[in-house]
Amino acid sequence: MQDLLFPLLAGIIGYLIGSLSFAVIISRLMGLSDPRSYGSGNPGATNVLRSGNKVAAVLTLLFDALKGYVAVLLVMIFGARFGLGEGTAALVGLTAFLGHLWPVFFRFKGGKGVATAAGVIMALNPLLGLATLATWAIIAYFSRYSSLAALVSAAFAPIYQMMIWGSGPIVGVLIVIGLLLVWRHAENIKKLLKGTESRLGQKAVGAVPAADSSKKHPHGVGPHAHGHSHKHPKKKGN
């Protein structure tokens, strides 16, 4: 019974951790628009970057990756005492990734999972994580397309694992994650083929809440928002 119960509980915990949508959480804390309301509508670091706030984008990237990393790391550290091994760690990585895609705390409307997948891979195999991250960075640097870099990295991750470290449960999880990433990037693929995909750092319209530019004129609301730009005629004496 425990052979099924503990992996199941670990998978559920991984899903709940993955369901923390930090793009939405950080944007709210920093007073930014909901990332689901502009750009691609994707609650992820790349779309948050389109708000023009680099700090928010970096924090989103770090925390989205960290949740995938922590979920797997908990199994790596504490799993042995419950008989949980590499297979469960890979399973938890997958459920954390699924939580990001379909977060229970945010009406199941999540991101595409690139950062969370990177965190999962880094925890499962740090060297594989570095190789995958390097692949992403190279493609992103030369193409300026985050989506293209993610797709190429997702395709190469299971290949790296099989060629260098051999097959196993990690390979199966990486293939599933890769297929889901391709599916979630379907619209991006279409835009890439059309040449209309947004590049890294490109600001989206509506990304920042519109500032209230209306200011009261001394005699009411009007075009002269910053004071008098007209002269009042002087009264003639009697």
mmCIF file of all heavy atoms in Angstrom, residues 126-166:
data_model
loop_
_atom_site.group_PDB
_atom_site.id
_atom_site.type_symbol
_atom_site.label_atom_id
_atom_site.label_comp_id
_atom_site.label_asym_id
_atom_site.label_seq_id
_atom_site.Cartn_x
_atom_site.Cartn_y
_atom_site.Cartn_z
ATOM 1 N N PRO A 126 21.732 18.013 -12.461
ATOM 2 C CA PRO A 126 22.302 19.363 -12.606
ATOM 3 C C PRO A 126 23.110 19.567 -13.873
ATOM 4 O O PRO A 126 23.022 20.627 -14.503
ATOM 5 C CB PRO A 126 23.188 19.494 -11.362
ATOM 6 C CG PRO A 126 22.563 18.582 -10.362
ATOM 7 C CD PRO A 126 22.056 17.418 -11.152
ATOM 8 N N LEU A 127 23.883 18.568 -14.290
ATOM 9 C CA LEU A 127 24.679 18.705 -15.509
ATOM 10 C C LEU A 127 23.779 18.782 -16.751
ATOM 11 O O LEU A 127 24.040 19.564 -17.673
ATOM 12 C CB LEU A 127 25.664 17.539 -15.642
ATOM 13 C CG LEU A 127 26.785 17.504 -14.589
ATOM 14 C CD1 LEU A 127 27.653 16.266 -14.788
ATOM 15 C CD2 LEU A 127 27.635 18.774 -14.677
ATOM 16 N N LEU A 128 22.735 17.984 -16.748
ATOM 17 C CA LEU A 128 21.758 18.057 -17.838
ATOM 18 C C LEU A 128 21.076 19.414 -17.832
ATOM 19 O O LEU A 128 20.837 20.010 -18.895
ATOM 20 C CB LEU A 128 20.709 16.953 -17.685
ATOM 21 C CG LEU A 128 19.526 17.003 -18.664
ATOM 22 C CD1 LEU A 128 20.005 16.835 -20.093
ATOM 23 C CD2 LEU A 128 18.491 15.935 -18.304
ATOM 24 N N GLY A 129 20.777 19.922 -16.628
ATOM 25 C CA GLY A 129 20.158 21.244 -16.524
ATOM 26 C C GLY A 129 21.034 22.330 -17.117
ATOM 27 O O GLY A 129 20.555 23.207 -17.838
ATOM 28 N N LEU A 130 22.331 22.266 -16.827
ATOM 29 C CA LEU A 130 23.263 23.264 -17.363
ATOM 30 C C LEU A 130 23.366 23.161 -18.877
ATOM 31 O O LEU A 130 23.419 24.180 -19.584
ATOM 32 C CB LEU A 130 24.637 23.081 -16.725
ATOM 33 C CG LEU A 130 24.744 23.445 -15.233
ATOM 34 C CD1 LEU A 130 26.118 23.083 -14.698
ATOM 35 C CD2 LEU A 130 24.453 24.931 -15.019
ATOM 36 N N ALA A 131 23.385 21.938 -19.398
ATOM 37 C CA ALA A 131 23.462 21.741 -20.850
ATOM 38 C C ALA A 131 22.206 22.272 -21.539
ATOM 39 O O ALA A 131 22.278 22.916 -22.593
ATOM 40 C CB ALA A 131 23.652 20.254 -21.159
ATOM 41 N N THR A 132 21.053 22.015 -20.920
ATOM 42 C CA THR A 132 19.779 22.487 -21.484
ATOM 43 C C THR A 132 19.692 24.006 -21.410
ATOM 44 O O THR A 132 19.231 24.654 -22.365
ATOM 45 C CB THR A 132 18.602 21.852 -20.726
ATOM 46 O OG1 THR A 132 18.729 20.437 -20.734
ATOM 47 C CG2 THR A 132 17.273 22.235 -21.378
ATOM 48 N N LEU A 133 20.132 24.565 -20.283
ATOM 49 C CA LEU A 133 20.124 26.022 -20.122
ATOM 50 C C LEU A 133 21.055 26.694 -21.132
ATOM 51 O O LEU A 133 20.715 27.739 -21.700
ATOM 52 C CB LEU A 133 20.547 26.384 -18.699
ATOM 53 C CG LEU A 133 20.568 27.878 -18.338
ATOM 54 C CD1 LEU A 133 19.173 28.471 -18.476
ATOM 55 C CD2 LEU A 133 21.086 28.078 -16.917
ATOM 56 N N ALA A 134 22.211 26.085 -21.361
ATOM 57 C CA ALA A 134 23.154 26.630 -22.345
ATOM 58 C C ALA A 134 22.545 26.608 -23.747
ATOM 59 O O ALA A 134 22.712 27.558 -24.526
ATOM 60 C CB ALA A 134 24.454 25.832 -22.311
ATOM 61 N N THR A 135 21.820 25.544 -24.053
ATOM 62 C CA THR A 135 21.153 25.443 -25.358
ATOM 63 C C THR A 135 20.129 26.563 -25.515
ATOM 64 O O THR A 135 20.058 27.219 -26.557
ATOM 65 C CB THR A 135 20.455 24.069 -25.494
ATOM 66 O OG1 THR A 135 21.421 23.034 -25.340
ATOM 67 C CG2 THR A 135 19.783 23.946 -26.859
ATOM 68 N N TRP A 136 19.344 26.771 -24.451
ATOM 69 C CA TRP A 136 18.344 27.854 -24.494
ATOM 70 C C TRP A 136 19.015 29.211 -24.696
ATOM 71 O O TRP A 136 18.573 30.018 -25.515
ATOM 72 C CB TRP A 136 17.535 27.868 -23.193
ATOM 73 C CG TRP A 136 16.417 28.868 -23.200
ATOM 74 C CD1 TRP A 136 15.124 28.647 -23.552
ATOM 75 C CD2 TRP A 136 16.507 30.268 -22.873
ATOM 76 N NE1 TRP A 136 14.396 29.808 -23.462
ATOM 77 C CE2 TRP A 136 15.217 30.822 -23.057
ATOM 78 C CE3 TRP A 136 17.541 31.095 -22.462
ATOM 79 C CZ2 TRP A 136 14.943 32.164 -22.829
ATOM 80 C CZ3 TRP A 136 17.270 32.439 -22.234
ATOM 81 C CH2 TRP A 136 16.001 32.965 -22.411
ATOM 82 N N ALA A 137 20.075 29.469 -23.946
ATOM 83 C CA ALA A 137 20.745 30.772 -23.993
ATOM 84 C C ALA A 137 21.330 31.040 -25.380
ATOM 85 O O ALA A 137 21.230 32.160 -25.895
ATOM 86 C CB ALA A 137 21.849 30.828 -22.935
ATOM 87 N N ILE A 138 21.917 30.039 -25.985
ATOM 88 C CA ILE A 138 22.525 30.209 -27.314
ATOM 89 C C ILE A 138 21.458 30.529 -28.360
ATOM 90 O O ILE A 138 21.598 31.472 -29.149
ATOM 91 C CB ILE A 138 23.306 28.944 -27.713
ATOM 92 C CG1 ILE A 138 24.549 28.792 -26.820
ATOM 93 C CG2 ILE A 138 23.718 29.009 -29.184
ATOM 94 C CD1 ILE A 138 25.243 27.455 -26.961
ATOM 95 N N ILE A 139 20.382 29.758 -28.362
ATOM 96 C CA ILE A 139 19.307 29.978 -29.344
ATOM 97 C C ILE A 139 18.631 31.326 -29.106
ATOM 98 O O ILE A 139 18.345 32.074 -30.042
ATOM 99 C CB ILE A 139 18.264 28.841 -29.283
ATOM 100 C CG1 ILE A 139 18.923 27.486 -29.557
ATOM 101 C CG2 ILE A 139 17.152 29.102 -30.287
ATOM 102 C CD1 ILE A 139 19.573 27.379 -30.916
ATOM 103 N N ALA A 140 18.378 31.648 -27.832
ATOM 104 C CA ALA A 140 17.722 32.920 -27.508
ATOM 105 C C ALA A 140 18.603 34.108 -27.887
ATOM 106 O O ALA A 140 18.105 35.131 -28.369
ATOM 107 C CB ALA A 140 17.378 32.972 -26.023
ATOM 108 N N TYR A 141 19.898 33.999 -27.669
ATOM 109 C CA TYR A 141 20.823 35.101 -27.961
ATOM 110 C C TYR A 141 20.855 35.418 -29.452
ATOM 111 O O TYR A 141 20.809 36.587 -29.846
ATOM 112 C CB TYR A 141 22.216 34.755 -27.463
ATOM 113 C CG TYR A 141 23.245 35.820 -27.765
ATOM 114 C CD1 TYR A 141 23.349 36.963 -26.977
ATOM 115 C CD2 TYR A 141 24.105 35.687 -28.851
ATOM 116 C CE1 TYR A 141 24.276 37.954 -27.259
ATOM 117 C CE2 TYR A 141 25.041 36.673 -29.148
ATOM 118 C CZ TYR A 141 25.126 37.797 -28.340
ATOM 119 O OH TYR A 141 26.049 38.774 -28.641
ATOM 120 N N PHE A 142 20.926 34.396 -30.267
ATOM 121 C CA PHE A 142 21.063 34.616 -31.705
ATOM 122 C C PHE A 142 19.729 34.863 -32.408
ATOM 123 O O PHE A 142 19.677 35.572 -33.421
ATOM 124 C CB PHE A 142 21.772 33.421 -32.369
ATOM 125 C CG PHE A 142 23.244 33.369 -32.084
ATOM 126 C CD1 PHE A 142 23.755 32.469 -31.165
ATOM 127 C CD2 PHE A 142 24.125 34.237 -32.713
ATOM 128 C CE1 PHE A 142 25.109 32.417 -30.881
ATOM 129 C CE2 PHE A 142 25.488 34.205 -32.439
ATOM 130 C CZ PHE A 142 25.985 33.295 -31.523
ATOM 131 N N SER A 143 18.642 34.308 -31.886
ATOM 132 C CA SER A 143 17.343 34.467 -32.550
ATOM 133 C C SER A 143 16.479 35.547 -31.921
ATOM 134 O O SER A 143 15.610 36.107 -32.581
ATOM 135 C CB SER A 143 16.569 33.142 -32.526
ATOM 136 O OG SER A 143 16.116 32.841 -31.212
ATOM 137 N N ARG A 144 16.688 35.821 -30.614
ATOM 138 C CA ARG A 144 15.862 36.749 -29.826
ATOM 139 C C ARG A 144 14.431 36.239 -29.662
ATOM 140 O O ARG A 144 13.532 36.991 -29.329
ATOM 141 C CB ARG A 144 15.833 38.156 -30.451
ATOM 142 C CG ARG A 144 17.194 38.766 -30.698
ATOM 143 C CD ARG A 144 18.018 38.850 -29.434
ATOM 144 N NE ARG A 144 17.397 39.738 -28.451
ATOM 145 C CZ ARG A 144 17.843 39.870 -27.203
ATOM 146 N NH1 ARG A 144 18.863 39.150 -26.778
ATOM 147 N NH2 ARG A 144 17.244 40.712 -26.377
ATOM 148 N N TYR A 145 14.228 34.934 -29.899
ATOM 149 C CA TYR A 145 12.912 34.331 -29.714
ATOM 150 C C TYR A 145 12.967 33.362 -28.533
ATOM 151 O O TYR A 145 13.608 32.311 -28.612
ATOM 152 C CB TYR A 145 12.464 33.565 -30.959
ATOM 153 C CG TYR A 145 12.120 34.430 -32.148
ATOM 154 C CD1 TYR A 145 12.815 34.308 -33.347
ATOM 155 C CD2 TYR A 145 11.085 35.367 -32.066
ATOM 156 C CE1 TYR A 145 12.486 35.097 -34.447
ATOM 157 C CE2 TYR A 145 10.761 36.157 -33.156
ATOM 158 C CZ TYR A 145 11.468 36.027 -34.353
ATOM 159 O OH TYR A 145 11.146 36.804 -35.423
ATOM 160 N N SER A 146 12.286 33.700 -27.451
ATOM 161 C CA SER A 146 12.259 32.826 -26.288
ATOM 162 C C SER A 146 11.554 31.513 -26.603
ATOM 163 O O SER A 146 11.974 30.442 -26.142
ATOM 164 C CB SER A 146 11.536 33.529 -25.133
ATOM 165 O OG SER A 146 11.385 32.670 -24.036
ATOM 166 N N SER A 147 10.489 31.578 -27.376
ATOM 167 C CA SER A 147 9.725 30.374 -27.705
ATOM 168 C C SER A 147 10.564 29.382 -28.510
ATOM 169 O O SER A 147 10.546 28.179 -28.253
ATOM 170 C CB SER A 147 8.460 30.745 -28.484
ATOM 171 O OG SER A 147 8.790 31.500 -29.644
ATOM 172 N N LEU A 148 11.308 29.880 -29.482
ATOM 173 C CA LEU A 148 12.157 29.006 -30.300
ATOM 174 C C LEU A 148 13.236 28.351 -29.435
ATOM 175 O O LEU A 148 13.515 27.158 -29.560
ATOM 176 C CB LEU A 148 12.798 29.805 -31.428
ATOM 177 C CG LEU A 148 13.741 29.026 -32.354
ATOM 178 C CD1 LEU A 148 12.988 27.902 -33.057
ATOM 179 C CD2 LEU A 148 14.382 29.962 -33.382
ATOM 180 N N ALA A 149 13.822 29.135 -28.553
ATOM 181 C CA ALA A 149 14.854 28.604 -27.659
ATOM 182 C C ALA A 149 14.284 27.507 -26.759
ATOM 183 O O ALA A 149 14.936 26.487 -26.510
ATOM 184 C CB ALA A 149 15.433 29.733 -26.816
ATOM 185 N N ALA A 150 13.061 27.722 -26.272
ATOM 186 C CA ALA A 150 12.422 26.726 -25.408
ATOM 187 C C ALA A 150 12.150 25.433 -26.157
ATOM 188 O O ALA A 150 12.367 24.330 -25.626
ATOM 189 C CB ALA A 150 11.120 27.299 -24.850
ATOM 190 N N LEU A 151 11.679 25.545 -27.381
ATOM 191 C CA LEU A 151 11.355 24.359 -28.175
ATOM 192 C C LEU A 151 12.602 23.550 -28.508
ATOM 193 O O LEU A 151 12.603 22.315 -28.420
ATOM 194 C CB LEU A 151 10.639 24.775 -29.460
ATOM 195 C CG LEU A 151 9.227 25.356 -29.278
ATOM 196 C CD1 LEU A 151 8.730 25.992 -30.564
ATOM 197 C CD2 LEU A 151 8.266 24.267 -28.806
ATOM 198 N N VAL A 152 13.665 24.228 -28.885
ATOM 199 C CA VAL A 152 14.921 23.531 -29.208
ATOM 200 C C VAL A 152 15.486 22.850 -27.958
ATOM 201 O O VAL A 152 15.926 21.699 -28.006
ATOM 202 C CB VAL A 152 15.948 24.518 -29.803
ATOM 203 C CG1 VAL A 152 17.306 23.836 -29.982
ATOM 204 C CG2 VAL A 152 15.462 25.059 -31.135
ATOM 205 N N SER A 153 15.454 23.559 -26.835
ATOM 206 C CA SER A 153 15.963 22.994 -25.582
ATOM 207 C C SER A 153 15.155 21.773 -25.156
ATOM 208 O O SER A 153 15.722 20.772 -24.697
ATOM 209 C CB SER A 153 15.918 24.049 -24.474
ATOM 210 O OG SER A 153 16.691 25.175 -24.812
ATOM 211 N N ALA A 154 13.827 21.864 -25.301
ATOM 212 C CA ALA A 154 12.961 20.743 -24.926
ATOM 213 C C ALA A 154 13.232 19.516 -25.791
ATOM 214 O O ALA A 154 13.147 18.376 -25.313
ATOM 215 C CB ALA A 154 11.494 21.154 -25.062
ATOM 216 N N ALA A 155 13.569 19.748 -27.043
ATOM 217 C CA ALA A 155 13.858 18.635 -27.944
ATOM 218 C C ALA A 155 15.191 17.976 -27.610
ATOM 219 O O ALA A 155 15.337 16.747 -27.706
ATOM 220 C CB ALA A 155 13.865 19.130 -29.390
ATOM 221 N N PHE A 156 16.170 18.764 -27.202
ATOM 222 C CA PHE A 156 17.510 18.236 -26.959
ATOM 223 C C PHE A 156 17.677 17.624 -25.564
ATOM 224 O O PHE A 156 18.557 16.767 -25.376
ATOM 225 C CB PHE A 156 18.558 19.329 -27.166
ATOM 226 C CG PHE A 156 18.993 19.471 -28.590
ATOM 227 C CD1 PHE A 156 18.354 20.349 -29.451
ATOM 228 C CD2 PHE A 156 20.055 18.722 -29.074
ATOM 229 C CE1 PHE A 156 18.757 20.474 -30.768
ATOM 230 C CE2 PHE A 156 20.454 18.839 -30.391
ATOM 231 C CZ PHE A 156 19.816 19.715 -31.257
ATOM 232 N N ALA A 157 16.864 18.053 -24.583
ATOM 233 C CA ALA A 157 17.036 17.568 -23.213
ATOM 234 C C ALA A 157 16.992 16.041 -23.096
ATOM 235 O O ALA A 157 17.907 15.434 -22.518
ATOM 236 C CB ALA A 157 16.005 18.211 -22.295
ATOM 237 N N PRO A 158 15.954 15.356 -23.626
ATOM 238 C CA PRO A 158 15.959 13.894 -23.517
ATOM 239 C C PRO A 158 17.075 13.231 -24.320
ATOM 240 O O PRO A 158 17.565 12.158 -23.945
ATOM 241 C CB PRO A 158 14.572 13.491 -24.057
ATOM 242 C CG PRO A 158 14.126 14.641 -24.883
ATOM 243 C CD PRO A 158 14.721 15.855 -24.259
ATOM 244 N N ILE A 159 17.496 13.875 -25.397
ATOM 245 C CA ILE A 159 18.600 13.332 -26.207
ATOM 246 C C ILE A 159 19.903 13.388 -25.423
ATOM 247 O O ILE A 159 20.671 12.415 -25.390
ATOM 248 C CB ILE A 159 18.730 14.117 -27.530
ATOM 249 C CG1 ILE A 159 17.467 13.926 -28.381
ATOM 250 C CG2 ILE A 159 19.966 13.666 -28.300
ATOM 251 C CD1 ILE A 159 17.448 14.767 -29.639
ATOM 252 N N TYR A 160 20.141 14.538 -24.770
ATOM 253 C CA TYR A 160 21.330 14.646 -23.920
ATOM 254 C C TYR A 160 21.320 13.569 -22.844
ATOM 255 O O TYR A 160 22.339 12.927 -22.569
ATOM 256 C CB TYR A 160 21.368 16.019 -23.233
ATOM 257 C CG TYR A 160 21.602 17.203 -24.135
ATOM 258 C CD1 TYR A 160 21.112 18.468 -23.797
ATOM 259 C CD2 TYR A 160 22.317 17.078 -25.317
ATOM 260 C CE1 TYR A 160 21.327 19.570 -24.604
ATOM 261 C CE2 TYR A 160 22.536 18.181 -26.137
ATOM 262 C CZ TYR A 160 22.034 19.424 -25.778
ATOM 263 O OH TYR A 160 22.260 20.509 -26.586
ATOM 264 N N GLN A 161 20.161 13.397 -22.203
ATOM 265 C CA GLN A 161 20.051 12.435 -21.099
ATOM 266 C C GLN A 161 20.363 11.016 -21.582
ATOM 267 O O GLN A 161 21.109 10.277 -20.926
ATOM 268 C CB GLN A 161 18.640 12.495 -20.502
ATOM 269 C CG GLN A 161 18.370 11.491 -19.403
ATOM 270 C CD GLN A 161 19.141 11.754 -18.121
ATOM 271 O OE1 GLN A 161 19.539 12.886 -17.857
ATOM 272 N NE2 GLN A 161 19.372 10.715 -17.326
ATOM 273 N N MET A 162 19.792 10.625 -22.714
ATOM 274 C CA MET A 162 19.993 9.271 -23.218
ATOM 275 C C MET A 162 21.427 9.042 -23.684
ATOM 276 O O MET A 162 22.015 7.988 -23.435
ATOM 277 C CB MET A 162 19.023 8.987 -24.369
ATOM 278 C CG MET A 162 17.598 8.727 -23.928
ATOM 279 S SD MET A 162 16.526 8.171 -25.277
ATOM 280 C CE MET A 162 16.431 9.649 -26.290
ATOM 281 N N MET A 163 22.002 10.040 -24.352
ATOM 282 C CA MET A 163 23.336 9.877 -24.911
ATOM 283 C C MET A 163 24.416 9.829 -23.830
ATOM 284 O O MET A 163 25.401 9.086 -23.949
ATOM 285 C CB MET A 163 23.637 11.016 -25.888
ATOM 286 C CG MET A 163 22.862 10.938 -27.187
ATOM 287 S SD MET A 163 23.237 12.346 -28.284
ATOM 288 C CE MET A 163 25.009 12.137 -28.525
ATOM 289 N N ILE A 164 24.241 10.615 -22.775
ATOM 290 C CA ILE A 164 25.303 10.736 -21.766
ATOM 291 C C ILE A 164 25.024 9.896 -20.527
ATOM 292 O O ILE A 164 25.928 9.234 -19.989
ATOM 293 C CB ILE A 164 25.481 12.214 -21.369
ATOM 294 C CG1 ILE A 164 25.807 13.057 -22.611
ATOM 295 C CG2 ILE A 164 26.571 12.365 -20.314
ATOM 296 C CD1 ILE A 164 25.846 14.544 -22.365
ATOM 297 N N TRP A 165 23.776 9.893 -20.034
ATOM 298 C CA TRP A 165 23.474 9.229 -18.768
ATOM 299 C C TRP A 165 22.614 7.975 -18.913
ATOM 300 O O TRP A 165 22.338 7.304 -17.934
ATOM 301 C CB TRP A 165 22.800 10.214 -17.818
ATOM 302 C CG TRP A 165 23.708 11.350 -17.443
ATOM 303 C CD1 TRP A 165 24.705 11.321 -16.502
ATOM 304 C CD2 TRP A 165 23.715 12.657 -18.008
ATOM 305 N NE1 TRP A 165 25.336 12.542 -16.449
ATOM 306 C CE2 TRP A 165 24.753 13.396 -17.358
ATOM 307 C CE3 TRP A 165 22.965 13.302 -18.994
ATOM 308 C CZ2 TRP A 165 25.044 14.718 -17.678
ATOM 309 C CZ3 TRP A 165 23.259 14.622 -19.311
ATOM 310 C CH2 TRP A 165 24.280 15.323 -18.654
ATOM 311 N N GLY A 166 22.161 7.682 -20.103
ATOM 312 C CA GLY A 166 21.377 6.477 -20.328
ATOM 313 C C GLY A 166 19.883 6.691 -20.133
ATOM 314 O O GLY A 166 19.430 7.753 -19.698
#
